[in-house]
């Protein structure tokens, strides 16, 4: 039976398993997140570098030193590797330290906005070294997003320019630490969007393409990617969820009824609604619908 050696211990391998799957099946405590070779969270170091190792977007100097991603590496005879040791290289430490803040795949959603992670001054300096590289990447990325068959449907309620401006200020605060973004953070901003991992990965591949198109080095990309994984579980979900601001929870959707104790205006037809009328109202937005517009409200919710 084929075996791999991790941190001095031998583990049997099953056909078709990746090195990461082998370790997880044996209950080994290892760092990982996306399992797709994108986030670099599972990065390890082989005892001897080999061509059969999957390296993804790791910088070339790390690849030359034997670093690889076990989540996409199929074990082979003689594979021996171990965890990244703190401080081995500047780039390695940056990748692992940032990623360690990210939740594991499937981590329970506790409902609160994730705190801002530590900024990355070296990445921010590089993005500002020759003009505004971040703006160039974001501009090209959103030009593509609004034309992309998978991504465009998520942006029907937004203008392209507004999306560029908001995302630019978000990344600027994320990387530089300067307080310049005043919108919702990812969990609340995407609370109503049903976004599977496959769509999140598709978005990430598009973004990676424009990072490389604009000459961002693999070392800088390795510093950027953990931030994307940090927010994955805030964005990826199988159904809409409510917004939570402080201790106040706002439902994702749904309606209830009430009797108006004062006259008001229907948010659909904009006609006046008399006091004492039984109206439908949206649980999150508070919009009210007169009896003639109840069916329209249901269509909007769907």
């Amino acid at each position: 039976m084929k075996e791999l050696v991790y941190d001095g211990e031998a583990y049997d391998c099953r056909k078709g398993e990746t090195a990461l799957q082998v370790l997880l099946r044996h209950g080994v405590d290892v760092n990982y997140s996306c399992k797709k070779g994108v986030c670099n969270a599972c990065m390890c170091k082989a005892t001897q570098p080999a061509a059969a190792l999957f390296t993804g977007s790791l910088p070339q100097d790390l690849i030359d030193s034997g670093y690889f991603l076990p989540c996409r590496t199929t074990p082979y005879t003689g594979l021996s590797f171990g965890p990244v040791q703190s401080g081995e290289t500047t780039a390695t430490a940056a990748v692992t330290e940032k990623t360690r803040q990210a939740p594991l795949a499937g981590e329970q959603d506790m409902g609160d906005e994730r705190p801002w992670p530590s900024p990355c001054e070296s990445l921010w300096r590089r993005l500002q070294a020759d003009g505004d590289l971040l703006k160039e990447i974001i501009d090209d990325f959103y030009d593509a997003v609004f034309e992309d068959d998978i991504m465009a449907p998520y942006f029907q309620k937004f203008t392209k320019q507004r999306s560029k401006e908001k995302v630019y200020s978000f990344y600027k605060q994320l990387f530089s630490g300067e307080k310049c973004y005043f919108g919702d953070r990812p969990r609340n901003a995407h609370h109503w969007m049903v976004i599977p991992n496959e769509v999140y990965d598709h978005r990430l591949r598009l973004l990676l393409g424009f990072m490389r198109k604009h000459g961002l080095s693999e070392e800088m990309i390795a510093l950027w990617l953990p931030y994307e994984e940090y927010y994955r579980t805030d964005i990826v979900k199988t159904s809409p969820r409510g917004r939570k601001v402080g201790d106040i929870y706002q439902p994702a959707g749904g309606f209830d009824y009430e009797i108006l104790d004062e006259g008001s205006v229907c948010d659909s037809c904009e006609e006046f609604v008399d006091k004492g009328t039984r109206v439908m109202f949206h649980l999150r937005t508070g919009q009210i619908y007169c009896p003639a517009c109840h069916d329209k409200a249901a269509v909007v919710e769907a």
Side-chain angles (χ1 to χ4, degrees), residues 2 108 193 206 234:
K2 188 182 296 183
Q108 183 179 1
M193 298 181 182
L206 284 178
D234 280 354

Side-chain angles (χ1 to χ4, degrees), residues 196-216:
N197 270 304
E198 292 77 10
V199 171
Y200 196 84
D201 291 337
H202 174 73
R203 170 198 170 274
L204 199 50
R205 284 192 293 271
L206 284 178
L207 183 58
L208 277 167
F210 289 107
M211 291 181 197
R212 292 179 174 127
K213 174 186 174 182
H214 287 280
L216 194 63

Side-chain angles (χ1 to χ4, degrees), residues 51-110:
L53 300 174
F54 179 84
T55 54
S57 62
L58 294 180
Q60 189 59 47
D61 61 331
L62 297 186
I63 296 172
D64 293 341
S65 299
Y67 293 94
F68 74 106
L69 303 177
C71 68
R72 294 284 299 278
T73 295
T74 302
Y76 57 87
T77 302
L79 175 59
S80 178
F81 63 103
V84 173
Q85 300 301 316
S86 178
E88 283 185 313
T89 70
T90 301
T92 303
V95 171
T96 55
E97 185 61 29
K98 289 287 189 305
T99 306
R100 197 172 292 121
Q101 302 175 51
L104 298 182
E107 181 183 52
Q108 183 179 1
D109 173 25
M110 301 305 293

Side-chain angles (χ1 to χ4, degrees), residues 154 194-201 232 236-237:
Y154 290 97
V194 177
I195 302 176
N197 270 304
E198 292 77 10
V199 171
Y200 196 84
D201 291 337
R232 179 182 287 266
V236 170
K237 53 194 171 298

